[in-house]
């Protein structure tokens, strides 16, 4: 019954979402409140039905109901309980269900929060969100039905992709999809503002927290994806410019540009057209990324699903972009800037330059990602561009963005004087140069590390200088340093939340630069009892052992690692043999540290355990990426608090 119940709920949810979108538009056109209430009830009903779909699918996974084809393909009787839950979004159909469910939740929150507010914008916002939800439910109904019945019913399933049998898969897709679907809210308000002609700052003010939340979850999803890549894929890195990684990175870049450029519109009434274009691009890139990674037109180590949904997503993307930019063009007269750029040495110029760099990086990533398709169209053969291309173009761009990160928040609006520049930047610049010189004197010769360190110290210096001056000013009212700092953070949470996010980015930048410059590795075959050395670590091969797990066999290597600074410890890299996979899956083992990680990957081995090949890596400063993510989380949490200076 589950296939029939699930499919019925999907079709009913699609009909409700479609009706809700139409009813909301009709209400906006005619002013009939009853139609709007009907649209709201349709949104609630769609959410309840999609939630029922999630519950039915989970029940099918937990009870091994192999009459559901999706369950039979993505689990088997040996799959542990934990992975039977994460298997729900382990492939194409389930990931669309998760997307729809999150979008229905966002829609429900919009209904609850705005049904008594924003009477002019709200019906159009509801219509746009339900229209998008209807599209995803249509995908669940026709090209990617998750409840398709399987006959005859097999005795056992195929099993979940081994690479997805990891704890990171419960957080990585969820965070990523919360980010993707979260951008629907600012996009919907932007479209509503264009439709009713209220193209001022109102829609930006309303959606500021929504945008930060979506941006934060997307950032978190990218970082967790890096962590998953680092400890699961077994190649020792966290970012490979893979098409799936790029697909999530592009909306992150345009959303980051949007978060900065809206400040120019709020302060100077400029960049209205630009900001609307950015939010359209951001939303469009979330759809494009899904099309790219789910259509199967580009291969990826992260792409675990392929299906026939490509034409649906491509058509929907074309509709979104054509409709949005046509609407934008129709309102272009209302979108003229009310302010002018007084000087290129100003905060608005800095933010504009920041935006241009971010859009340039987006275009670079886009071009490199679709280059195989372009080469196939022109030359008849797919040619991929690798990490060297992306690094060559993007590293200078990202270094320039780091520099602007320090300049933007402190340089004056309209026109910065020489006095302003000297007061705000002389000491941070000197500090950055001194830090780079000190590193060079200590023997660091890598240009990327020296430049990154100089910029990081410069940006951190501007933040420290600004905070010190602001806290000192508050102390004049009698507060001590702690109370003054805390009060400042709460009162200007948006500004200092942004600063803390910047600090998180700085920590991540140091992690990237350090790991790229100083990590070392070697691959060696060792006889039992033999040792090898790398970067001061001595690794001894102690032997192999075999075991049977619930759904796979495993051969584990035992290695003793010593470095002369502490007692030895054991690492156990392994190879897992799944019945449904032709090749074994590596299970790396590692010891994390703030400065360096010791990282082992088991390669080939003799059946009698007499020798084994091991890939040994000493990865420097990788943990700084995860630390930066924690700092970024604190900053985002502070930034979304209600602003104490203005009504929420």
């Amino acid at each position: 019954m589950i296939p029939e119940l699930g499919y019925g709920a999907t079709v009913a949810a699609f009909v409700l979402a479609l009706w809700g979108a139409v009813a909301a538009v009709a209400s906006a056109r005619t002013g009939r409140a009853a139609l709007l209430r009907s649209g709201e009830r349709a949104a609630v009903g769609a959410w309840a039905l999609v939630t029922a779909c999630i519950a039915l699918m989970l029940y099918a996974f937990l009870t091994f109901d192999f009459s559901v084809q999706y369950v039979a393909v993505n689990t088997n009787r040996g799959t542990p309980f934990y992975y039977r839950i994460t298997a729900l979004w382990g492939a194409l159909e389930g990931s669309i269900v998760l997307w729809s469910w999150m979008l229905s939740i966002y829609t429900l929150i919009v209904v609850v929060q705005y049904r008594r507010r924003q009477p002019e914008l709200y019906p159009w916002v509801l219509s746009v969100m339900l229209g998008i939800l209807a599209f995803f439910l249509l995908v669940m109904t026709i090209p990617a039905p998750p409840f398709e019945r399987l006959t005859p019913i097999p005795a056992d399933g195929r099993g979940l992709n081994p690479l997805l049998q990891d704890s990171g898969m419960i957080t990585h897709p969820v965070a990523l999809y919360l980010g993707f679907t979260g951008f629907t809210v600012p996009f919907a308000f932007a479209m509503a503002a264009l439709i009713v002609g209220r193209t001022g700052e109102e829609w930006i003010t309303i959606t500021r927290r929504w945008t930060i939340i979506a941006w934060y979850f997307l950032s978190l999803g990218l970082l967790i994806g890096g962590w998953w890549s680092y400890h699961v894929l077994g190649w020792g890195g966290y970012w490979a410019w893979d098409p799936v990684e790029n697909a999530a990175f592009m909306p992150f870049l345009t959303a980051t540009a949007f978060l900065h450029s809206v400040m120019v519109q709020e302060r100077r009434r400029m960049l209205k057209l630009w900001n609307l274009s950015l939010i359209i691009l951001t939303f469009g890139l979330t759809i494009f990324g899904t099309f790219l990674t789910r259509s199967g037109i580009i291969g990826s180590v992260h792409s675990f699903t392929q299906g026939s949904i490509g034409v649906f997503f491509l058509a929907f993307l074309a509709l979104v972009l054509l409709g949005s930019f046509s609407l934008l063009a129709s309102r272009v007269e209302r979108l003229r800037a009310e302010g002018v750029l007084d000087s290129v040495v100003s905060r608005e110029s800095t933010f504009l330059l920041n935006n241009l760099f971010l859009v340039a990086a987006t275009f670079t990533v886009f071009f490199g990602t679709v280059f195989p398709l372009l080469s196939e169209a022109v030359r008849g053969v797919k040619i991929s561009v690798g990490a060297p291309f992306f690094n060559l173009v993007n590293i200078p761009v990202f270094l320039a963005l780091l520099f602007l990160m320090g300049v933007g928040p402190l340089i004056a609006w309209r026109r910065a004087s020489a006095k302003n520049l000297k007061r705000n930047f002389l000491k941070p610049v000197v500090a950055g140069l001194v830090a780079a010189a000190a590193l060079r004197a200590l023997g660091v010769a890598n240009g990327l590390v020296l430049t990154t360190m100089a910029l990081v110290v410069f940006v951190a210096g501007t933040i420290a200088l600004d905070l010190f001056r602001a806290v000192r000013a508050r102390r004049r009212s009698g507060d001590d340093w702690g109370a003054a700092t805390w009060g400042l953070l709460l009162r200007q949470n948006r500004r200092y939340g942004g600063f803390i996010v910047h600090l998180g980015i700085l920590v991540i930048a140091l992690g990237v630069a350090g790991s790229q410059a100083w990590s070392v590795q070697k691959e060696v075959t060792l006889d039992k009892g033999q040792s090898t050395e790398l970067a001061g670590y001595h690794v001894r091969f102690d032997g192999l052992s075999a075991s049977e797990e619930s759904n796979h066999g495993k051969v584990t290597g035992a290695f003793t690692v010593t470095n002369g600074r502490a007692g030895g410890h054991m690492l156990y890299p392994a190879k897992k043999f799944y019945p449904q996979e032709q090749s074994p899956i590596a299970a790396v083992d590692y010891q994390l540290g703030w400065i360096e990680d010791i990282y082992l990957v088991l390669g080939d081995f003799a059946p009698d355990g007499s020798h084994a090949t091991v890939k040994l890596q000493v990865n420097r400063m990788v943990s700084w990426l995860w630390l930066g993510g924690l700092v970024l989380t604190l900053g985002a949490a502070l930034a979304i608090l209600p602003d104490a200076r203005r009504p929420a």
Side-chain angles (χ1 to χ4, degrees):
M1 283 295 290
I2 286 183
E4 288 73 23
L5 287 173
Y7 189 75
T10 303
V11 173
F14 166 69
V15 172
L16 280 179
L18 197 60
W19 163 248
V22 172
V25 170
S27 170
R29 290 284 188 188
T30 64
R32 292 175 57 187
L35 284 172
L36 187 57
R37 299 289 88 83
S38 178
E40 291 168 350
R41 287 192 290 272
V44 175
W47 165 78
L49 287 167
V50 179
T51 302
C53 289
I54 290 272
L56 286 170
M57 188 60 77
L58 279 176
Y59 180 78
F61 269 110
L62 294 177
T63 58
F64 300 113
D65 186 346
F66 299 130
S67 67
V68 181
Q69 179 171 300
Y70 184 75
V71 174
V73 171
N74 291 287
T75 191
N76 58 27
R77 295 191 182 279
T79 304
F81 173 83
Y82 176 81
Y83 297 132
R84 274 182 271 156
I85 295 175
T86 59
L88 190 149
W89 49 80
L92 169 66
E93 293 84 353
S95 65
I96 299 297
V97 175
L98 181 65
W99 188 303
S100 302
W101 186 54
M102 290 179 172
L103 185 55
S104 72
I105 292 174
Y106 276 123
T107 305
L108 194 64
I109 296 173
V110 166
V111 169
V112 171
Q113 192 164 354
Y114 297 105
R115 63 192 303 263
R116 304 293 183 196
R117 302 155 58 186
Q118 309 299 330
E120 197 172 0
L121 295 177
Y122 169 66
W124 293 104
V125 172
L126 182 61
S127 177
V128 171
M129 296 201 67
L130 285 174
I132 296 168
L133 177 60
F135 163 73
F136 280 93
L137 291 167
L138 178 66
V139 172
M140 287 172 57
T141 304
I142 299 177
F147 292 99
E148 189 170 356
R149 175 173 280 282
L150 179 63
T151 53
I153 301 174
D156 200 357
R158 180 179 179 275
L160 182 64
N161 187 317
L163 293 176
L164 301 181
Q165 298 186 30
D166 177 77
S167 59
M169 293 314 296
I170 196 170
T171 49
H172 169 53
V174 171
L176 212 57
Y177 285 14
L178 280 171
F180 282 160
T181 54
F183 285 118
T184 308
V185 180
F187 172 76
F189 270 95
M191 293 302 99
L194 283 172
I195 291 169
V196 303
R198 291 167 60 176
T199 53
E201 290 66 57
E202 185 181 19
W203 73 273
I204 289 176
T205 304
I206 294 171
T207 60
R208 183 179 71 81
R209 289 191 191 90
W210 289 98
T211 308
I212 295 174
I213 289 170
W215 179 89
Y216 165 69
F217 278 120
L218 184 54
S219 307
L220 190 65
L222 287 168
L223 281 170
I224 297 173
W227 164 245
W228 172 82
S229 179
Y230 185 62
H231 81 282
V232 170
L233 291 185
W235 65 287
Y238 45 83
W239 188 265
W241 296 107
D242 181 88
V244 171
E245 296 170 345
N246 295 345
F249 193 45
M250 285 187 282
F252 167 83
L253 292 172
T254 53
T256 304
F258 176 74
L259 282 171
H260 288 85
S261 63
V262 293
M263 287 186 272
V264 178
Q265 182 173 343
E266 289 175 313
R267 181 65 179 250
R268 298 295 318 280
R269 308 290 189 267
M270 298 165 62
L271 304 182
K272 295 179 181 177
L273 184 63
W274 177 253
N275 286 326
L276 285 161
S277 301
L278 279 178
I279 198 62
I280 292 172
L281 276 178
T282 301
F283 178 72
L285 284 170
T286 65
I287 303 299
F288 174 75
T290 306
F291 157 72
L292 195 69
T293 57
R294 296 297 189 240
S295 63
I297 61 171
I298 292 181
S300 163
V301 296
H302 297 267
S303 184
F304 305 107
T305 64
Q306 294 180 2
S308 57
I309 66 170
V311 65
F312 276 75
F313 272 86
L314 198 58
F316 182 63
L317 178 62
L319 180 66
V320 166
L321 294 182
L322 188 63
S324 302
F325 282 113
S326 295
L327 193 55
L328 193 63
S330 71
R331 300 294 187 190
V332 70
E333 287 298 321
R334 294 172 178 263
L335 298 172
R336 296 189 184 281
E338 298 173 28
V340 295
L341 190 62
D342 297 313
S343 169
V344 294
V345 188
S346 62
R347 188 174 299 186
E348 45 269 53
S349 292
T350 305
F351 281 178
L352 183 58
L353 197 57
N354 155 290
N355 269 228
L356 293 178
F357 279 129
L358 285 166
V359 172
T362 306
F363 176 76
T364 302
V365 176
F366 177 84
F367 178 76
T369 304
V370 302
F371 187 79
L373 302 179
L374 298 177
S375 68
E376 186 178 33
V378 175
R379 302 179 59 181
V381 59
K382 282 187 178 179
I383 300 175
S384 299
V385 296
F389 163 78
F390 290 105
N391 290 336
L392 178 68
V393 179
N394 284 318
I395 285 177
V397 172
F398 292 147
L399 290 175
L401 285 169
L402 274 183
F403 174 71
L404 294 176
M405 191 187 294
V407 175
L410 267 65
I411 195 171
W413 289 101
R414 291 182 177 274
R415 186 188 303 277
S417 64
K419 182 180 178 181
N420 169 271
L421 296 176
K422 180 181 178 182
R423 179 173 183 268
N424 288 324
F425 300 115
L426 179 60
K427 292 178 181 176
V429 166
V430 171
L433 293 175
V434 169
L439 274 183
R440 185 69 187 90
L442 291 172
V444 176
N446 186 288
L448 175 62
V449 173
L450 292 174
T451 306
T452 304
M453 178 56 75
L455 289 171
V456 165
V457 172
F458 164 69
V459 178
T462 61
I463 295 172
L465 191 62
D466 181 274
L467 183 64
F468 171 74
R469 288 171 179 164
V471 172
R472 186 178 59 183
R474 284 187 64 86
R475 289 196 68 230
R476 292 175 187 144
S477 61
D479 290 340
D480 59 26
W481 283 99
T485 303
W486 184 247
L488 182 70
L489 294 179
L490 292 181
R491 187 169 177 76
Q492 299 188 36
N493 59 296
R494 182 181 179 185
R495 178 177 179 80
Y496 289 100
F499 276 160
I500 295 174
V501 169
H502 283 182
L503 287 175
I505 299 294
L506 296 181
V507 175
I508 292 171
L510 285 175
V512 172
S515 61
Q516 295 296 314
W518 291 325
S519 295
V520 293
Q521 65 178 39
K522 68 186 294 187
E523 186 168 325
V524 62
T525 299
L526 299 174
D527 293 330
K528 189 173 181 179
Q530 188 179 6
S531 298
T532 187
E533 187 273 341
L534 178 67
Y537 287 91
H538 295 269
V539 177
R540 187 185 67 217
F541 173 47
D542 294 332
L544 297 173
S545 62
S547 60
E548 284 295 327
E549 306 296 329
S550 62
N551 61 349
H552 65 273
K554 186 165 73 172
V555 174
T556 304
F559 294 84
T560 301
V561 180
T562 57
N563 63 1
R565 297 191 294 270
H569 58 272
M570 300 296 296
L571 289 180
Y572 300 97
K575 276 190 178 298
K576 297 180 178 178
F577 297 84
Y578 289 85
Q580 70 270 30
E581 298 293 328
Q582 295 182 347
S583 302
I585 304 296
V588 304
D589 199 6
Y590 46 81
Q591 185 179 38
L592 302 181
W594 290 116
I595 302 300
E596 60 191 19
D597 303 341
I598 181 76
Y599 186 101
L600 264 62
V601 185
L602 182 64
D604 294 334
F605 52 82
D608 62 358
S610 60
H611 65 266
T613 300
V614 64
K615 182 180 179 183
L616 168 63
Q617 294 182 230
V618 177
N619 298 327
R620 268 72 185 249
M621 298 180 70
V622 174
S623 293
W624 290 45
L625 273 72
W626 327 131
L627 176 64
L630 179 61
V631 177
L632 187 146
T633 298
L634 296 175
L638 181 61
I640 63 173
L641 290 176
D643 194 331
R645 296 176 301 176
R646 292 177 294 186

